[in-house]
Amino acid sequence: MKFASYNIQFGMGLDGKYDLDRIAASLAGADVIALQEVTRGFEPNGYADLAGDLATFFPDYFWVYGAPCDVHLGTIVEDGQRRERRLQFGNMILSRWPILSTRTLLLPRQRTFDRLNLQRGATEAVLETPSGPLRVYSVHLDHTSVEERIMQIRYLKERAGRFTEEGGALTGASEFQLADPPLPEEYILLGDFNMQPESPEYVAMAGSTDPVYGRTLRSRNPVDALCWLGRLTAETYSCIDAKNHGRRLQLDYGFLSYGLLARLRDAFIDTTAKGSDHFPLWLELE
């Protein structure tokens, strides 16, 4: 089972070109795709409906789109009819297998006055995979504040860890003559976490490292797939910060619940992709 996570930066590459073809080509072969910075109604990419347009590249896939940020931009008149123009900014999941349930989690945030601060979210999908139901999250954390990312990580871990207790998108469905969607224990968190390895927020997610025993596996701490496989080094990067002299940063991760570690076979960053300022993260499970 191949998973890919990609912050597509509205479809714009480092060369300033909008090109969905190269984004889709770099994701070919993935069974499950988690995307971030998927927009609708955004002026720099011609107000494109990225969710709908990307779905056409994967016609045999199921997909969901969650836009935690959704604001009114104005109205226009086309063919004599008034139409609303809205900006939506969010996450998307595409899956070769049915998506049995989904919800968009609104991550905690604080108002800013001098920096852009969008409502961030994590789109959750319960997938019907060949090996049974599995939870996958497409995650995008705040980019300007360590404190806000730590708040968001704590909230996200709480929802992921208490999923079976809280019930996901729907329980008690018998009242509607429906069956409850499954509540799988195992999950994968994929996305742009806007944090670097061993930063305070990374430690909040994965746990701290003891000088004697290292990082101990604990039930409430998901495991970084790159780190687990020895692929997280000083040279690893998933983003090029063009605004800061092309600085290379490791910001994108795949965190797995403990029960999936025995199935983890591969994890890497594809730095050959050209469709964004980020690069796709790939995971492979048995």
mmCIF file of all heavy atoms in Angstrom, residues 9-10 14 37 42 115-116 143-144 239-249 277:
data_model
loop_
_atom_site.group_PDB
_atom_site.id
_atom_site.type_symbol
_atom_site.label_atom_id
_atom_site.label_comp_id
_atom_site.label_asym_id
_atom_site.label_seq_id
_atom_site.Cartn_x
_atom_site.Cartn_y
_atom_site.Cartn_z
ATOM 1 N N GLN A 9 0.961 23.877 -2.703
ATOM 2 C CA GLN A 9 1.100 25.329 -2.816
ATOM 3 C C GLN A 9 0.227 25.910 -3.926
ATOM 4 O O GLN A 9 0.711 26.577 -4.843
ATOM 5 C CB GLN A 9 2.576 25.725 -3.032
ATOM 6 C CG GLN A 9 2.805 27.200 -2.848
ATOM 7 C CD GLN A 9 4.180 27.709 -3.239
ATOM 8 O OE1 GLN A 9 4.722 28.527 -2.550
ATOM 9 N NE2 GLN A 9 4.750 27.248 -4.340
ATOM 10 N N PHE A 10 -1.059 25.610 -3.845
ATOM 11 C CA PHE A 10 -2.054 26.159 -4.771
ATOM 12 C C PHE A 10 -1.812 25.740 -6.219
ATOM 13 O O PHE A 10 -2.396 26.326 -7.138
ATOM 14 C CB PHE A 10 -2.119 27.694 -4.727
ATOM 15 C CG PHE A 10 -1.707 28.324 -3.425
ATOM 16 C CD1 PHE A 10 -0.687 29.240 -3.368
ATOM 17 C CD2 PHE A 10 -2.353 27.977 -2.246
ATOM 18 C CE1 PHE A 10 -0.306 29.821 -2.174
ATOM 19 C CE2 PHE A 10 -1.981 28.546 -1.045
ATOM 20 C CZ PHE A 10 -0.938 29.484 -1.011
ATOM 21 N N LEU A 14 8.096 26.225 -7.824
ATOM 22 C CA LEU A 14 9.140 27.200 -7.514
ATOM 23 C C LEU A 14 9.438 28.109 -8.708
ATOM 24 O O LEU A 14 9.958 29.217 -8.541
ATOM 25 C CB LEU A 14 10.424 26.474 -7.097
ATOM 26 C CG LEU A 14 10.439 25.905 -5.677
ATOM 27 C CD1 LEU A 14 11.656 25.017 -5.486
ATOM 28 C CD2 LEU A 14 10.428 27.022 -4.648
ATOM 29 N N GLU A 37 -2.884 22.657 1.103
ATOM 30 C CA GLU A 37 -2.945 23.903 0.342
ATOM 31 C C GLU A 37 -3.704 23.695 -0.968
ATOM 32 O O GLU A 37 -3.268 24.118 -2.046
ATOM 33 C CB GLU A 37 -1.554 24.502 0.114
ATOM 34 C CG GLU A 37 -0.916 24.985 1.406
ATOM 35 C CD GLU A 37 0.251 25.944 1.221
ATOM 36 O OE1 GLU A 37 0.375 26.563 0.137
ATOM 37 O OE2 GLU A 37 1.040 26.082 2.175
ATOM 38 N N PHE A 42 -9.005 31.055 -5.554
ATOM 39 C CA PHE A 42 -7.778 31.776 -5.205
ATOM 40 C C PHE A 42 -7.263 32.501 -6.442
ATOM 41 O O PHE A 42 -7.004 31.869 -7.479
ATOM 42 C CB PHE A 42 -6.743 30.788 -4.668
ATOM 43 C CG PHE A 42 -5.530 31.414 -4.064
ATOM 44 C CD1 PHE A 42 -5.634 32.413 -3.122
ATOM 45 C CD2 PHE A 42 -4.265 30.988 -4.446
ATOM 46 C CE1 PHE A 42 -4.498 32.985 -2.555
ATOM 47 C CE2 PHE A 42 -3.117 31.544 -3.882
ATOM 48 C CZ PHE A 42 -3.243 32.553 -2.941
ATOM 49 N N ARG A 115 0.497 38.971 11.039
ATOM 50 C CA ARG A 115 0.894 37.837 10.213
ATOM 51 C C ARG A 115 -0.360 37.080 9.770
ATOM 52 O O ARG A 115 -1.337 36.990 10.520
ATOM 53 C CB ARG A 115 1.798 36.866 10.983
ATOM 54 C CG ARG A 115 3.186 37.401 11.310
ATOM 55 C CD ARG A 115 4.061 37.507 10.072
ATOM 56 N NE ARG A 115 5.435 37.890 10.421
ATOM 57 C CZ ARG A 115 5.837 39.147 10.567
ATOM 58 N NH1 ARG A 115 4.976 40.150 10.410
ATOM 59 N NH2 ARG A 115 7.098 39.416 10.873
ATOM 60 N N LEU A 116 -0.300 36.548 8.560
ATOM 61 C CA LEU A 116 -1.407 35.745 8.057
ATOM 62 C C LEU A 116 -1.621 34.537 8.960
ATOM 63 O O LEU A 116 -0.675 33.826 9.302
ATOM 64 C CB LEU A 116 -1.092 35.268 6.637
ATOM 65 C CG LEU A 116 -2.125 34.341 5.989
ATOM 66 C CD1 LEU A 116 -3.411 35.102 5.686
ATOM 67 C CD2 LEU A 116 -1.559 33.732 4.701
ATOM 68 N N HIS A 143 2.016 28.073 10.319
ATOM 69 C CA HIS A 143 3.390 28.265 9.842
ATOM 70 C C HIS A 143 4.156 29.346 10.592
ATOM 71 O O HIS A 143 5.349 29.529 10.321
ATOM 72 C CB HIS A 143 3.386 28.595 8.349
ATOM 73 C CG HIS A 143 2.793 29.932 8.007
ATOM 74 N ND1 HIS A 143 1.477 30.235 8.260
ATOM 75 C CD2 HIS A 143 3.340 31.050 7.452
ATOM 76 C CE1 HIS A 143 1.229 31.474 7.860
ATOM 77 N NE2 HIS A 143 2.341 31.995 7.377
ATOM 78 N N THR A 144 3.523 30.075 11.530
ATOM 79 C CA THR A 144 4.204 31.216 12.122
ATOM 80 C C THR A 144 4.487 31.093 13.611
ATOM 81 O O THR A 144 5.282 31.874 14.139
ATOM 82 C CB THR A 144 3.385 32.508 11.919
ATOM 83 O OG1 THR A 144 2.115 32.379 12.590
ATOM 84 C CG2 THR A 144 3.152 32.782 10.444
ATOM 85 N N CYS A 239 11.109 20.798 1.706
ATOM 86 C CA CYS A 239 10.625 22.112 1.284
ATOM 87 C C CYS A 239 11.821 23.009 0.991
ATOM 88 O O CYS A 239 12.858 22.919 1.667
ATOM 89 C CB CYS A 239 9.760 22.730 2.388
ATOM 90 S SG CYS A 239 9.208 24.426 2.063
ATOM 91 N N ILE A 240 11.675 23.863 -0.006
ATOM 92 C CA ILE A 240 12.667 24.893 -0.291
ATOM 93 C C ILE A 240 12.028 26.250 -0.040
ATOM 94 O O ILE A 240 11.021 26.600 -0.670
ATOM 95 C CB ILE A 240 13.185 24.795 -1.735
ATOM 96 C CG1 ILE A 240 13.988 23.498 -1.919
ATOM 97 C CG2 ILE A 240 14.052 26.000 -2.093
ATOM 98 C CD1 ILE A 240 14.559 23.300 -3.304
ATOM 99 N N ASP A 241 12.591 26.995 0.883
ATOM 100 C CA ASP A 241 12.060 28.301 1.263
ATOM 101 C C ASP A 241 12.652 29.360 0.347
ATOM 102 O O ASP A 241 13.724 29.911 0.611
ATOM 103 C CB ASP A 241 12.394 28.581 2.729
ATOM 104 C CG ASP A 241 11.746 29.853 3.242
ATOM 105 O OD1 ASP A 241 11.052 30.539 2.453
ATOM 106 O OD2 ASP A 241 11.928 30.163 4.438
ATOM 107 N N ALA A 242 11.930 29.651 -0.733
ATOM 108 C CA ALA A 242 12.443 30.586 -1.729
ATOM 109 C C ALA A 242 12.589 32.001 -1.178
ATOM 110 O O ALA A 242 13.409 32.786 -1.671
ATOM 111 C CB ALA A 242 11.528 30.590 -2.949
ATOM 112 N N LYS A 243 11.809 32.329 -0.154
ATOM 113 C CA LYS A 243 11.871 33.677 0.419
ATOM 114 C C LYS A 243 13.106 33.869 1.294
ATOM 115 O O LYS A 243 13.426 35.000 1.663
ATOM 116 C CB LYS A 243 10.604 33.950 1.230
ATOM 117 C CG LYS A 243 9.332 33.968 0.390
ATOM 118 C CD LYS A 243 8.112 34.210 1.258
ATOM 119 C CE LYS A 243 6.840 34.203 0.418
ATOM 120 N NZ LYS A 243 5.621 34.403 1.257
ATOM 121 N N ASN A 244 13.762 32.785 1.659
ATOM 122 C CA ASN A 244 14.947 32.845 2.518
ATOM 123 C C ASN A 244 16.137 32.173 1.842
ATOM 124 O O ASN A 244 16.695 31.202 2.339
ATOM 125 C CB ASN A 244 14.655 32.196 3.876
ATOM 126 C CG ASN A 244 13.762 33.061 4.743
ATOM 127 O OD1 ASN A 244 14.183 34.096 5.258
ATOM 128 N ND2 ASN A 244 12.510 32.656 4.889
ATOM 129 N N HIS A 245 16.462 32.675 0.636
ATOM 130 C CA HIS A 245 17.667 32.257 -0.086
ATOM 131 C C HIS A 245 17.683 30.751 -0.383
ATOM 132 O O HIS A 245 18.745 30.131 -0.399
ATOM 133 C CB HIS A 245 18.919 32.642 0.704
ATOM 134 C CG HIS A 245 18.927 34.072 1.159
ATOM 135 N ND1 HIS A 245 19.057 35.127 0.281
ATOM 136 C CD2 HIS A 245 18.786 34.616 2.399
ATOM 137 C CE1 HIS A 245 19.024 36.265 0.957
ATOM 138 N NE2 HIS A 245 18.852 35.990 2.237
ATOM 139 N N GLY A 246 16.508 30.174 -0.630
ATOM 140 C CA GLY A 246 16.437 28.764 -0.993
ATOM 141 C C GLY A 246 16.786 27.817 0.135
ATOM 142 O O GLY A 246 17.241 26.687 -0.114
ATOM 143 N N ARG A 247 16.561 28.241 1.378
ATOM 144 C CA ARG A 247 16.875 27.389 2.527
ATOM 145 C C ARG A 247 16.073 26.091 2.458
ATOM 146 O O ARG A 247 14.885 26.102 2.153
ATOM 147 C CB ARG A 247 16.560 28.135 3.823
ATOM 148 C CG ARG A 247 16.875 27.363 5.083
ATOM 149 C CD ARG A 247 16.635 28.214 6.311
ATOM 150 N NE ARG A 247 15.270 28.742 6.335
ATOM 151 C CZ ARG A 247 14.690 29.189 7.449
ATOM 152 N NH1 ARG A 247 15.351 29.183 8.587
ATOM 153 N NH2 ARG A 247 13.460 29.653 7.400
ATOM 154 N N ARG A 248 16.723 24.978 2.742
ATOM 155 C CA ARG A 248 16.068 23.668 2.711
ATOM 156 C C ARG A 248 15.579 23.300 4.113
ATOM 157 O O ARG A 248 16.336 23.393 5.085
ATOM 158 C CB ARG A 248 17.036 22.607 2.194
ATOM 159 C CG ARG A 248 17.450 22.840 0.740
ATOM 160 C CD ARG A 248 18.420 21.776 0.250
ATOM 161 N NE ARG A 248 18.713 21.948 -1.158
ATOM 162 C CZ ARG A 248 19.456 21.114 -1.868
ATOM 163 N NH1 ARG A 248 19.997 20.047 -1.287
ATOM 164 N NH2 ARG A 248 19.670 21.338 -3.156
ATOM 165 N N LEU A 249 14.317 22.876 4.190
ATOM 166 C CA LEU A 249 13.681 22.589 5.467
ATOM 167 C C LEU A 249 12.990 21.236 5.420
ATOM 168 O O LEU A 249 12.449 20.842 4.379
ATOM 169 C CB LEU A 249 12.638 23.662 5.800
ATOM 170 C CG LEU A 249 13.129 25.113 5.875
ATOM 171 C CD1 LEU A 249 11.939 26.050 5.944
ATOM 172 C CD2 LEU A 249 14.043 25.298 7.068
ATOM 173 N N ASP A 277 6.606 24.279 -3.799
ATOM 174 C CA ASP A 277 7.812 24.558 -3.021
ATOM 175 C C ASP A 277 8.087 23.441 -2.018
ATOM 176 O O ASP A 277 9.130 23.430 -1.364
ATOM 177 C CB ASP A 277 7.710 25.908 -2.311
ATOM 178 C CG ASP A 277 6.537 26.000 -1.350
ATOM 179 O OD1 ASP A 277 5.603 25.163 -1.448
ATOM 180 O OD2 ASP A 277 6.532 26.905 -0.502
#
